[in-house]
Structure formats: structure tokens, C-alpha cells
């Protein structure tokens, strides 16, 4: 019999817990969100969207990452982009021009004017002609924009880390489930061959019983200490801050215009989670997948021995497997029969002391022996964005559903909490709360600047 986690991996939405909520569960979610439930809009898709219909999309936050996502979705013939949104006028208009130029080229007169541009994301999600919303804002905006989209009846693609806090992740799961939406988290390593193969090898005991995992990513964020700079026209700085504390503008947080890099807002606690949440949302996510804990989490989180260290935090699952946060980049699984290292485009496998593979394509016969036809297989996605579009049509869960993304974000946030407060923590992965008097419930959320809140 398949476990619940394995049914989720295979996109099985027949489980009551992933398709509908009983009254008690519904009220629990509503309590987390801090509001009464919203009415469902009349325009809700049926169980399956017709295969020949176009999927209409809107994009929120038009920085470097969402320009990449926009250019990719534009090339999907089954999609039509109707709107973009950004608080920076130049980025907003640039994205609008990208869309209209793309659609103009095949037309007879080489013109097209059909993409709206918004400063306020609420105007975009209110449109009844938009099916899905693609979100790549700074992390502190993920929950508010995704929840608003779900409540408006939109499916959601939201960049990683899914949530800025643990309570936000729970509220996002509640909103998506309440409104029966499909949300794909942008943890795109799940749709890469080397990571799926590594996870399948771990799941099938190729390196024996797992004893520990090392996840190498950079460290936690710091409180924002940037000096103020004069405001610049064309940027709605107050809206960029949104629920974050009021502070003067600094161009490191929101570089003006169409910048080509990933801005430094992710280094500061008010807006991001440092490397722990940025790359950790990829690499801790793969550890979760390989170990089979997508619907669970650790039972203990421990800070490093050195009170000033930014690496060395660790957490432990109920089965005794320990995950250690180190500096660097990549994931190493240690078993009692070997070890496995995986990163983007990198794959190395040892059985005993002998290195068996230096690439995921090495020794196909050996991999075939380690992963025979009877082996446990995981969700096979080769196109992370296309997988979301597929889920929108079939109404089956995508490879990195909202609950999976929220669980990984919880791991990242717990690791950061260990660095912030330097206390050993007991964790209840079922209730998603601290146990035995360890930890403060306030650490699970954050204060919102008025008028913003999860409701």
C-alpha cells in the first residue's frame, strides 16, 4: 500500500486531505489566516480544463527571475499572458513591452496591444479573465500575493522559498486547499534528472541506511542596516515595503530599472531569509524529498556550538537521521553502504570506498541494477513550468505542491530560528509548533505594517 507521501508524489488528489476540508480543518485554516473564509468566485474551473483552451496568465514582480519565467511561459503555445505587475514603472513597462513585442511579431502588421500593466497586484488578481498568476516578488510578499490570488480563484506559480515565515506557509496551504487551487512552488530542482535519480537511489537503499545528510548553502540573514537614500521617481517604495517595517529607500533592496542581477533584499531578515532560505529552499527541499518527509519534518533543531557561527545548525528527524547545515553548495547523503553527492549538473556516487559514478549518466547498467523495474519511483517531471500547466488542466497536484513548498520553507525557517535565538528546540511536525516549552510561538510569524495582514 502506498504511503500518503507517495500518493502525493504521484499526483493523487483522491485523498480527502488534499481535495476538501472538513469543518474542523477548515476552521483551523481560517484561524491561521486570521479571517473569515472568502466566498468562492463563480468562475471556478471544472474538474478538468479542456485541452484545447488557452491558459491565461498574469505576472507579479518583474525582476530578473520573473523576466526569465515570463520569457519561458511566452513560448508555451498553450498560454496567453494578459497582464504584468511591478511597483517600479520601468520594470513594469519593460515587461509589458516584452509581451506585446512577442505577440506582435507573428501578426500581419507587427503590432499588438493586449497586455495590461499594474502597480497594485490586487487589480491584477481581480481580473476574471486570468487563470493563473506567476509570483516572483521579494519573499516578504509571497504569502499575501499568493493567498489573494487563490481567494480570487487563480492557480499560482510562486517562487521559492514559498513563505517568509512558518505561519505564512500554513496560511498559504489553507487558502490553496480552501479554494481548490493548484500551486507549484518554484523549487525547480525537483524537475531535474540528477536530483530525482539521487532521491530514488536514497529511497531504494542504494547507499544503505541513511545516517546523516549535509546540506551546504550560505548563512542566515541579518537585520537590515542599509543607510537611507533619496527616493527616486517611478518607484512606489511604500508599496515595495508593504507589510515590512517602514524604512528609507536603498537601491540595494530595489535597484531601479531593469537590473540584470538578484538584488540584496534576500540578505535581510525583513525581506528574505539569507542563503538558508534562498539556496536552502532548493537543497533542504531535496533532502526532504529523498528522505520521504514531504508531509512531515524534524523533531529537534539545534544551534551550532559556536554562538557566533553562521553554519553548523542541525536538525534531526524522528528516525534519527540528522541534517547538518554547512557552508558551500550541494547535498551529500551518507549511508552505511556508501555516500552520494548531488548538485546542479553534478552527481557522484560511492558504494563502500569505491566511486561508482561521476555523472548521472555514468554506468547506466549499474544504475539499472540499483533502480530495477520494481524500485520505488518518484514523480517524474522534466519541465517544472510545464508541470504546473499540466496540473492546471488535470487538477492533479504538481510536483512541488503548496504543502511540499510550505514544509521545505518551514525547514529553512527553523534553521534560521536556530541562528537567530541560539536555543535547542523541540518541534512537533504534525502540529507545526514548538514542544516542551522550547521556542516562542511569536517566532513562527512576524509583525505586519498596517494595513497589511494575512486576512
Amino acid at each position: 500500500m502506498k504511503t500518503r507521501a507517495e500518493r502525493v508524489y504521484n499526483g493523487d488528489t483522491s485523498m480527502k486531505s488534499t481535495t476538501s476540508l472538513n469543518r474542523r480543518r477548515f476552521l483551523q485554516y481560517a484561524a491561521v489566516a486570521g479571517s473569515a473564509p472568502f466566498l468562492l468566485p463563480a468562475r471556478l474551473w471544472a474538474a478538468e480544463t479542456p485541452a484545447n483552451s488557452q491558459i491565461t496568465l498574469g505576472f507579479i514582480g518583474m525582476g530578473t527571475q520573473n523576466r526569465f519565467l515570463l520569457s519561458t511561459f511566452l513560448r508555451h503555445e498553450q498560454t496567453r499572458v494578459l497582464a504584468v505587475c511591478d511597483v517600479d514603472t520601468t520594470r513594469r513597462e519593460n515587461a509589458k513591452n516584452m509581451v506585446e513585442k512577442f505577440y506582435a511579431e507573428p501578426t500581419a502588421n507587427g503590432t499588438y496591444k493586449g497586455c495590461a500593466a499594474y502597480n497594485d497586484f490586487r487589480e491584477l488578481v481581480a481580473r476574471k479573465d486570468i487563470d493563473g498568476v506567476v509570483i516572483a516578488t521579494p519573499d516578504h510578499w509571497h504569502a499575501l500575493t499568493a493567498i489573494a490570488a487563490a481567494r480570487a480563484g487563480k492557480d499560482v506559480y510562486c517562487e521559492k522559498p514559498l513563505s517568509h515565515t512558518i505561519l505564512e506557509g500554513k496560511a498559504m496551504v489553507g487558502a490553496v486547499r480552501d479554494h481548490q487551487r493548484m500551486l507549484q512552488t518554484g523549487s525547480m530542482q525537483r524537475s531535474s534528472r540528477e536530483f530525482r535519480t539521487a532521491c530514488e537511489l536514497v529511497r531504494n537503499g542504494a547507499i544503505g541506511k541513511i545516517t546523516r545528510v549535509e546540506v551546504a548553502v550560505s548563512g542566515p540573514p541579518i537585520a537590515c542596516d542599509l543607510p537611507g537614500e533619496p527616493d527616486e521617481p517611478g518607484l512606489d517604495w511604500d508599496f515595495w515595503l508593504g507589510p515590512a517595517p517602514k524604512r528609507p529607500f536603498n537601491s540595494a533592496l530595489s535597484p531601479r530599472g531593469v537590473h540584470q542581477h538578484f538584488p540584496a533584499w534576500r540578505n535581510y531578515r525583513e525581506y528574505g531569509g539569507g542563503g538558508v532560505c534562498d539556496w536552502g529552499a532548493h537543497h533542504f527541499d531535496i533532502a526532504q524529498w529523498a528522505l520521504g518527509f514531504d508531509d512531515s519534518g524534524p523533531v529537534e533543531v539545534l544551534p551550532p556550538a559556536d554562538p557566533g557561527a553562521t553554519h553548523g545548525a542541525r536538525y534531526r528527524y524522528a528516525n534519527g537521521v540528522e541534517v547538518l547545515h554547512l557552508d558551500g553548495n550541494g547535498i551529500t547523503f551518507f549511508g552505511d553502504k556508501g555516500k552520494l553527492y548531488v548538485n546542479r549538473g553534478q552527481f557522484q556516487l560511492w558504494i563502500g570506498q569505491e566511486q561508482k559514478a561521476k555523472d548521472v549518466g555514468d554506468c547506466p547498467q549499474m544504475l539499472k541494477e540499483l533502480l530495477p523495474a520494481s524500485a520505488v519511483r518518484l514523480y517524474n517531471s522534466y519541465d517544472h513550468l510545464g508541470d504546473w500547466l499540466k496540473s492546471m488542466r488535470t487538477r492533479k497536484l504538481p510536483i512541488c505542491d503548496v504543502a511540499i513548498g510550505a514544509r521545505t520553507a518551514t525547514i529553512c525557517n527553523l534553521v534560521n530560528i536556530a541562528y537567530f535565538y541560539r536555543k535547542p528546540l523541540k518541534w512537533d511536525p504534525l502540529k507545526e509548533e514548538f514542544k516542551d516549552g522550547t521556542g516562542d510561538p511569536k517566532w513562527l510569524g512576524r509583525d505586519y505594517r498596517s494595513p497589511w495582514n494575512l486576512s
Side-chain angles (χ1 to χ4, degrees):
M1 180 179 293
K2 293 179 180 178
T3 66
R4 178 181 181 275
E6 286 169 339
R7 294 199 300 273
V8 170
Y9 294 141
N10 289 295
D12 184 352
T13 56
S14 63
M15 297 173 294
K16 183 176 181 180
S17 62
T18 59
T19 55
S20 63
L21 299 171
N22 61 34
R23 176 173 173 76
R24 182 171 64 177
R25 190 65 168 158
F26 178 85
L27 292 175
Q28 287 173 342
Y29 279 138
V32 169
S35 67
F38 279 52
L39 292 175
L40 289 171
R43 183 190 164 276
L44 274 182
W45 288 357
E48 192 165 320
T49 303
N52 59 354
S53 63
Q54 276 200 317
I55 293 174
T56 53
L57 299 177
F59 289 72
I60 301 174
M62 299 314 305
T64 300
Q65 181 63 16
N66 224 3
R67 288 199 306 276
F68 161 73
L69 295 174
L70 173 61
S71 64
T72 306
F73 276 116
L74 280 170
R75 294 194 294 272
H76 273 274
E77 292 184 358
Q78 59 186 305
T79 66
R80 193 75 173 178
V81 178
L82 299 185
V84 296
C85 175
D86 199 282
V87 295
D88 182 285
T89 304
T90 308
R91 289 196 292 270
R92 183 169 66 243
E93 289 302 315
N94 177 74
K96 172 184 169 74
N97 291 338
M98 281 179 62
V99 175
E100 295 189 335
K101 180 180 179 181
F102 181 87
Y103 290 139
E105 289 178 354
T107 64
N109 59 4
T111 61
Y112 176 85
K113 299 294 180 184
C115 180
Y118 299 101
N119 182 74
D120 189 330
F121 71 92
R122 292 168 295 189
E123 295 180 59
L124 186 152
V125 301
R127 286 183 54 158
K128 295 181 179 180
D129 57 346
I130 289 179
D131 301 320
V133 172
V134 181
I135 298 169
T137 63
D139 298 353
H140 72 291
W141 267 113
H142 283 184
L144 295 181
T145 51
I147 289 171
R151 288 172 172 168
K154 316 302 181 192
D155 292 321
V156 178
Y157 185 100
C158 185
E159 268 304 336
K160 40 57 59 184
L162 185 64
S163 65
H164 191 41
T165 71
I166 293 170
L167 288 184
E168 285 181 348
K170 294 175 70 173
M172 293 168 84
V173 174
V176 169
R177 293 290 187 259
D178 289 351
H179 299 285
Q180 301 178 47
R181 296 297 88 202
M182 295 291 113
L183 184 148
Q184 176 85 298
T185 309
S187 297
M188 60 198 307
Q189 290 182 171
R190 292 212 177 202
S191 295
S192 296
R193 180 189 176 196
E194 63 268 27
F195 292 103
R196 185 181 66 257
T197 301
C199 291
E200 289 180 340
L201 287 169
V202 170
R203 286 287 194 98
N204 286 280
I207 59 173
K209 182 180 179 180
I210 301 300
T211 56
R212 77 180 193 277
V213 183
E214 294 178 354
V215 173
V217 295
S218 53
I222 62 173
C224 189
D225 57 357
L226 295 171
E229 298 174 0
D231 288 349
E232 296 186 19
L235 172 66
D236 190 338
W237 176 242
D238 189 69
F239 212 136
W240 187 96
L241 289 170
K246 182 71 173 178
R247 62 153 290 121
F249 166 74
N250 185 284
S251 55
L253 299 175
S254 183
R256 293 308 317 283
V258 185
H259 54 269
Q260 304 298 321
H261 63 287
F262 294 99
W265 54 259
R266 52 189 36 83
N267 298 332
Y268 301 101
R269 288 178 62 173
E270 294 86 346
Y271 324 108
V276 170
C277 285
D278 188 38
W279 267 97
H282 287 303
H283 287 350
F284 287 119
D285 183 64
I286 295 303
Q288 283 273 99
W289 197 21
L291 297 173
F293 283 108
D294 271 349
D295 60 351
S296 185
V299 296
E300 187 176 19
V301 185
L302 300 169
D306 179 353
T310 57
H311 295 86
R314 53 200 166 97
Y315 59 89
R316 188 176 297 118
Y317 293 101
N319 64 359
V321 175
E322 187 171 279
V323 179
L324 175 65
H325 170 224
L326 298 177
D327 196 9
N329 196 286
I331 314 152
T332 308
F333 298 91
F334 295 86
D336 58 12
K337 296 181 182 178
K339 69 177 182 178
L340 189 158
Y341 170 82
V342 65
N343 203 346
R344 295 185 183 183
Q346 302 176 51
F347 178 95
Q348 299 176 52
L349 174 67
W350 290 262
I351 303 296
Q353 299 300 313
E354 182 181 359
Q355 186 168 12
K356 295 291 188 178
K358 296 182 179 180
D359 184 83
V360 73
D362 284 355
C363 307
Q365 182 59 38
M366 181 201 65
L367 290 176
K368 185 176 180 180
E369 292 171 0
L370 293 172
L371 295 172
S374 60
V376 174
R377 293 292 187 173
L378 301 179
Y379 191 131
N380 186 353
S381 164
Y382 59 89
D383 177 359
H384 205 66
L385 307 187
D387 183 68
W388 176 55
L389 299 177
K390 178 182 175 183
S391 79
M392 293 175 74
R393 294 196 183 281
T394 64
R395 312 316 291 170
K396 293 182 178 179
L397 300 181
I399 191 169
C400 203
D401 167 58
V402 61
I404 294 173
R407 287 287 186 174
T408 293
T410 290
I411 294 286
C412 299
N413 279 299
L414 285 172
V415 171
N416 269 339
I417 287 170
Y419 289 117
F420 297 158
Y421 303 106
R422 307 284 168 165
K423 296 179 181 295
L425 304 167
K426 299 289 186 181
W427 182 251
D428 185 331
L430 180 62
K431 296 180 180 179
E432 296 183 273
E433 60 186 32
F434 297 117
K435 288 178 58 179
D436 302 335
T438 65
D440 187 330
K442 293 180 180 179
W443 299 349
L444 304 182
R446 60 179 169 133
D447 293 330
Y448 287 80
R449 187 167 65 101
S450 179
W452 301 103
N453 55 68
L454 282 179
S455 62

